[in-house]
Amino acid sequence: MSSELFINVNPSEVVIALIEDKRLVELTRENSGTKFAVGDIFLGKVKKIMPGLNATFVDVGHEKDAFLHYLDMGPQFATLNKFVQNTLSRKAKVTAISKITPDPDIDKNGKIAQQLKPGQNILVQIAKEPISTKGPRLTSELSIAGRNMVLVPFGDKVSVSQKIKTAEERNRLKKLIQSIKPRNYGVIVRTASEGKMVAELDQELKRLVSKWESMLPKLKKVNPPGLVLGELSRTSALLRDIYTPDFSNIYIDDYTVYEEVLEYITNIAPDKKKTVKFYDKSAPMFDANGIDKQIKALFGKTVTFKSGAYIIIEHTEAFHVIDVNSGNRAKIANDQETNALEVNLAACDEIARQLRLRDMGGIIVIDFIDMQDNDNRQKVYLKMKEVMAADRTKHHILPLSKFCLMQITRQRVRPEQNIDTAEVCPVCKGTGKVSATILFTDEIASKVDYIFSDLNHKKIEIRLHPYVAAFLTKGFFSIVRKWRWKYKKKIEIVAIDKMALLEVRFFDAAMEEIIF
């Protein structure tokens, strides 16, 4: 399976698309000013204790107070809390946690009021980003993620990913990490560490410990609520979590981000740095590679997937509902049970793709086409488990009920990707009326004259619908050639499939749009 990553950088956001075998399977959008990302560590202030929930609300700077449950404080909270209070003391010097004596673990059945009080400063980490009307979800069991492992300050346990196939390799990694990790640090060994040698793992472990220790002097200076340690950019974090040597190409259309990604790949896989490529062509990267077209086709309410079959996706406040329909396949000359099984099995692939693509979390209920045979229902259940195995997000799948309903729970840590595929007409602006088409080329000519005569640009790129672009460039004495002769300037015509028939956009030599 070939995998490619496309990173599109705009002034307002970064869009990351993961393509597997030419199919879009993940889409991530990160606003340039994103705060409160999963993994960020804050020094917060306890606002309100909720004994009935055994939880507290913490001010971390978000408009909505963040939520911390007692069970998310972690067994080493007493040690963490004591360390934070000593560090915040003006007289105390910052002490490396490898030199402290840990306190006993807190009682897992205890009460939050025994550990916290209003106004107290507390070190917390974002476990779930703000979603809808809710503030962030917090944890005090801090961790710093790396490519091959996750460092857990104040812990002392070494855990190894169960996805590592052999018991021998898991035991090797566990003994190796136990021999090199500093005191009072726990480590979670990730799947990517399989087969890695001690030198590489030791280097990453030291880097993670250094990252934690470099945060401590800043902790004394932060005025709560405030950010103490930020997670990597969404681009680097995604690469850290999903990158494999199977990636054939990584395309980036911004040179600054390109250098950042190149440096990251050079550090973790030097022999793969040639896969990182700067995209500098005039045609928009997502459009030239068919990604925009896939987004429009995949984010609607109805998604077709095979031989006329389709699924309908609805969202409610409580859960998501997916309805599977056979569509034109009902005309195929199979018996009803066989036809239902084929459609349901094919739907599993598309549903798994949609869950990753839209990052749908919480409870998902799937209404498959009715099947009477228990063996067929079991086949669909096993198929769904198989195709969901590639999903990195934690999930749990229940077998089909006798009504052919399947329930899936999928961890939700970020807001769902929701892209409106319906567009306001760029020509009529939603009024339903357009100017006379016969005057369209005259309007373009007038804007070209204004750009060269009044704005004094040396070069422009004009993006149009392919039909209009063909009309302007048709023949030896084309309209565009006449404009070039008239102004003695460079004019490039770029045909964009997704643009409306009477839509036109102008860009200068720096590829910044010229707004009229």
Side-chain angles (χ1 to χ4, degrees), residues 440-472:
F440 185 52
T441 54
D442 291 342
E443 293 177 7
I444 298 174
S446 176
K447 291 178 178 179
V448 169
D449 182 73
Y450 174 73
I451 290 170
F452 288 138
S453 301
D454 294 7
L455 301 182
N456 297 317
H457 284 288
K458 305 297 182 185
K459 175 186 176 181
I460 61 170
E461 177 180 293
I462 307 175
R463 298 180 185 176
L464 303 141
H465 187 278
Y467 288 163
V468 181
F471 176 76
L472 294 179

Side-chain angles (χ1 to χ4, degrees), residues 275-315:
T275 62
V276 184
K277 299 175 181 177
F278 177 57
Y279 183 90
D280 58 355
K281 298 178 182 178
S282 58
M285 182 172 65
F286 275 20
D287 190 71
N289 290 278
I291 298 173
D292 272 329
K293 185 177 181 180
Q294 290 197 56
I295 291 173
K296 292 296 183 184
L298 294 171
F299 275 89
K301 177 180 175 180
T302 302
V303 180
T304 59
F305 58 91
K306 187 177 182 181
S307 302
Y310 61 95
I311 58 176
I312 297 176
I313 303 174
E314 297 274 10
H315 309 284

Side-chain angles (χ1 to χ4, degrees), residues 339-507:
N339 188 56
L341 176 62
E342 290 178 357
V343 173
N344 288 339
L345 290 174
C348 290
D349 285 305
E350 187 58 42
I351 290 169
R353 179 190 185 189
Q354 288 290 329
L355 295 183
R356 290 176 66 188
L357 190 60
R358 303 184 189 219
D359 203 9
M360 292 163 60
I363 300 173
I364 300 105
V365 177
I366 306 168
D367 181 11
F368 284 102
I369 300 173
D370 286 344
M371 297 177 295
Q372 303 303 317
D373 193 327
N374 287 332
D375 288 342
N376 289 340
R377 289 200 287 264
Q378 182 67 8
K379 288 178 182 178
V380 173
Y381 169 64
L382 294 176
K383 175 68 173 179
M384 182 59 77
K385 292 194 70 172
E386 177 190 339
V387 295
M388 287 287 287
D391 193 339
R392 302 186 313 279
T393 302
K394 292 180 181 178
H395 59 271
H396 184 64
I397 305 171
L398 294 181
L400 277 72
S401 71
K402 66 178 182 179
F403 301 115
C404 275
L405 297 176
M406 176 182 285
Q407 298 174 68
I408 299 176
T409 60
R410 189 173 183 272
Q411 186 180 26
R412 180 170 60 175
V413 296
R414 296 185 179 92
E416 176 197 348
Q417 287 288 343
N418 187 16
I419 298 176
D420 189 0
T421 56
E423 301 175 348
V424 174
C425 174
V427 181
C428 71
K429 309 299 182 186
T431 64
K433 296 180 179 180
V434 299
S435 58
T437 55
I438 196 171
L439 302 177
F440 185 52
T441 54
D442 291 342
E443 293 177 7
I444 298 174
S446 176
K447 291 178 178 179
V448 169
D449 182 73
Y450 174 73
I451 290 170
F452 288 138
S453 301
D454 294 7
L455 301 182
N456 297 317
H457 284 288
K458 305 297 182 185
K459 175 186 176 181
I460 61 170
E461 177 180 293
I462 307 175
R463 298 180 185 176
L464 303 141
H465 187 278
Y467 288 163
V468 181
F471 176 76
L472 294 179
T473 57
K474 180 180 65 176
F476 182 78
F477 292 105
S478 65
I479 295 174
V480 172
R481 178 161 291 190
K482 292 176 181 177
W483 291 344
R484 290 169 182 155
W485 285 345
K486 178 178 179 181
Y487 299 106
K488 302 296 187 292
K489 302 291 178 63
K490 293 182 179 180
I491 303 174
E492 297 293 333
I493 300 294
V494 178
I496 306 293
D497 290 338
K498 69 176 182 178
M499 293 185 70
L501 182 62
L502 299 183
E503 183 183 4
V504 59
R505 299 173 69 185
F506 297 86
F507 292 82

